Each structure stands twice: as C-alpha cells, then as structure tokens.
Amino acid sequence: MPGVLVLHGFTSHPERTMGPLPERLRAAGFTVAQPALRGHGTRPEDLAGVRWEDWLEDARAAYATLPEPRAVVGLSMGGLLAAWIAAEGEARALVALAPALGFANPLAPLAPYLAPLIPRFPGPDSIRDPERKRRNPNYPYFPTRAFVELLELARATPARLAEVWCAALVVEAGHDRVVPARAVRRYHALLGSTHKEHVRFPESGHDLLLDLEDERVAAFVTDWLVRVLAPTPPSPPERVD
C-alpha cells in the first residue's frame, strides 16, 4: 500500500485546506500522513519564532512513518518542502500545487525590513469563489517575521529542485493572486526530473483544493499518483525454442 505525505501551505489549516484530496487518496488505497507543520492549526501568534527548518523537520518526521513506495504532495509552502523531501529521500513521485517559489505581492521581498514596523500582515486573497472565501479556514493574518522564514525557504529551494529525479506533477492555478504563474513555471523548469508534467486549472485561486475546481484537482492528482505508483508488471518469461 503506497504512502503519500500531504503538506499544507503557510497559514493554512492543516486538515481542511487540502479539501477532498486526503479522502480521495485513502479511498484509492493510499496510506496518508497529513502533519500539522509547526505554528499551524492553532492561532497566528504561534508562528512567532518558528523557523523554516522546523517545518522541514516536521515534514521529514511524518514522511518517515509512511510505507514504501512513497510520494509527497504539497500546496504552496508545502510544495517547497515537498521538493526537499523528494530530493533527499526515496520518493517515487512529487506533486506541487501552486508552489510558492515567488510572490505576487510587491512588498513580499521587503518583509525583512518591514517586520519591525508592520508586525503582522492580513492573510492573502487565496480563494476566488465568494461563498467559499467566507468559509476560509486559514489564519486571517500572520506575523511578518514568520513570512520572512517562508521567503528564506523559497530562496533556498531552487538548488534542491535540480536534485529531484522522481516523477513530478506541477499544478498552476489560473487565478492565483498569491504566487505568480512565472514562479510556478520556474519551479517546473528547475526540476531535474525527466518525467515531469505541468497542468493548469483555469478557474482556481491559489487554494486550489478550497475553490471552484477542488474536486477536479483532487481527482486529477489522485489518478496521476495511482498511475505513477502502480506496480511495474513483471516481464514476460523469455521464450525458449
């Protein structure tokens, strides 16, 4: 029974942000690990003092509990952490959903300088559908210094992408106001994998699994993993004349 590590994004709710995907994976026969990365799932203030290396440590610990063959799926920040896991482990597959290799907000690179003046920022506009946006389970704001850690992770990740050799799927959201398309496509381009795919869901916001195409995204990712992780059929016996 293959194992899949599912990693949420920055400020995301550890369970609800991944929408229907974890249950679809379980229904398809996967063992799923869905850890709460440090500082998440409680209150925004708990992100204070957390380092990006802490998030990676949490991801590694959850990955180690899974049976082989193993895959890793990550949304946004989780897509960056997923690349590290895939680069250093025995992962057979990587799925990155709107990986946060860059940011649409022009103030994002200035966060290290703004942190002393602006201690917190509002949560991003990550869901397109108005009704679903009202039910957004993610943190409504976050400490600016915590975002600085995400920036550091984003800057450290490109070097690891070249070390990813497993099958890879990179998913772009057509109406992403958080991570620009160029950042998602750069992530895909930098992957060392020879078997890598890039797909775009045109009606989705950044939180693809909470938005208009959530079921389509979950079904696509699950089906892709089923194909990639399917056991290799045995070779037919050699013919003896």
Side-chain angles (χ1 to χ4, degrees), residues 3-9 12-26 30-38 40-41 58-59 61-66 71-75 209-210:
V4 181
L5 176 65
V6 177
L7 298 172
H8 61 80
S12 295
H13 190 281
E15 297 173 358
R16 294 166 60 195
T17 301
M18 303 310 286
L21 179 61
E23 285 310 311
R24 274 192 175 267
L25 291 171
R26 292 185 180 98
F30 294 105
T31 298
V32 176
Q34 195 175 352
L37 303 176
R38 224 163 301 184
H40 292 84
D58 295 340
Y63 182 75
T65 68
L66 289 167
V72 57
V73 178
L75 167 71
L209 291 161
L210 292 177

Side-chain angles (χ1 to χ4, degrees), residues 152-214:
E152 291 299 320
L153 173 60
R155 289 167 179 160
T157 298
R160 301 315 302 260
L161 292 172
E163 300 170 5
V164 175
W165 293 103
C166 63
L169 172 66
V170 180
V171 180
E172 177 185 330
H175 287 268
D176 198 329
R177 297 182 178 178
V178 181
V179 173
R182 65 179 180 276
V184 176
R185 295 172 188 181
R186 179 173 176 243
Y187 181 106
H188 175 264
L190 290 174
L191 286 167
S193 310
T194 55
H195 175 190
K196 58 183 178 180
E197 301 177 43
H198 170 263
V199 297
R200 180 176 181 269
F201 285 85
E203 302 303 320
S204 295
H206 182 68
D207 267 310
L208 294 108
L209 291 161
L210 292 177
D211 216 335
L212 295 162
E213 298 173 288
D214 57 345

Side-chain angles (χ1 to χ4, degrees), residues 10-194:
F10 180 68
T11 76
S12 295
H13 190 281
E15 297 173 358
R16 294 166 60 195
T17 301
M18 303 310 286
L21 179 61
E23 285 310 311
R24 274 192 175 267
L25 291 171
R26 292 185 180 98
F30 294 105
T31 298
V32 176
Q34 195 175 352
L37 303 176
R38 224 163 301 184
H40 292 84
T42 52
R43 56 180 190 146
E45 289 75 16
D46 290 338
L47 284 168
V50 178
R51 304 293 303 276
W52 71 263
E53 292 91 347
D54 297 325
W55 298 324
L56 182 57
E57 182 181 320
D58 295 340
R60 285 172 174 152
Y63 182 75
T65 68
L66 289 167
E68 295 184 355
R70 291 180 283 194
V72 57
V73 178
L75 167 71
S76 191
M77 178 184 79
L80 305 183
L81 298 170
W84 285 72
I85 298 294
E88 60 192 31
E90 300 296 329
R92 285 262 303 274
L94 160 69
V95 179
L97 303 162
L101 205 61
F103 302 94
N105 189 331
L107 295 178
L110 302 176
Y113 311 102
L114 294 174
L117 305 172
I118 307 174
R120 72 183 198 183
F121 265 88
D125 185 5
S126 62
I127 301 172
R128 187 181 180 204
D129 178 73
E131 179 56 35
R132 293 173 185 235
K133 185 182 297 188
R134 282 193 289 271
R135 302 196 304 268
N136 187 348
N138 301 329
Y139 286 158
Y141 61 89
F142 55 86
T144 308
R145 292 194 184 279
F147 181 75
V148 174
E149 292 299 316
L150 177 55
L151 274 182
E152 291 299 320
L153 173 60
R155 289 167 179 160
T157 298
R160 301 315 302 260
L161 292 172
E163 300 170 5
V164 175
W165 293 103
C166 63
L169 172 66
V170 180
V171 180
E172 177 185 330
H175 287 268
D176 198 329
R177 297 182 178 178
V178 181
V179 173
R182 65 179 180 276
V184 176
R185 295 172 188 181
R186 179 173 176 243
Y187 181 106
H188 175 264
L190 290 174
L191 286 167
S193 310
T194 55

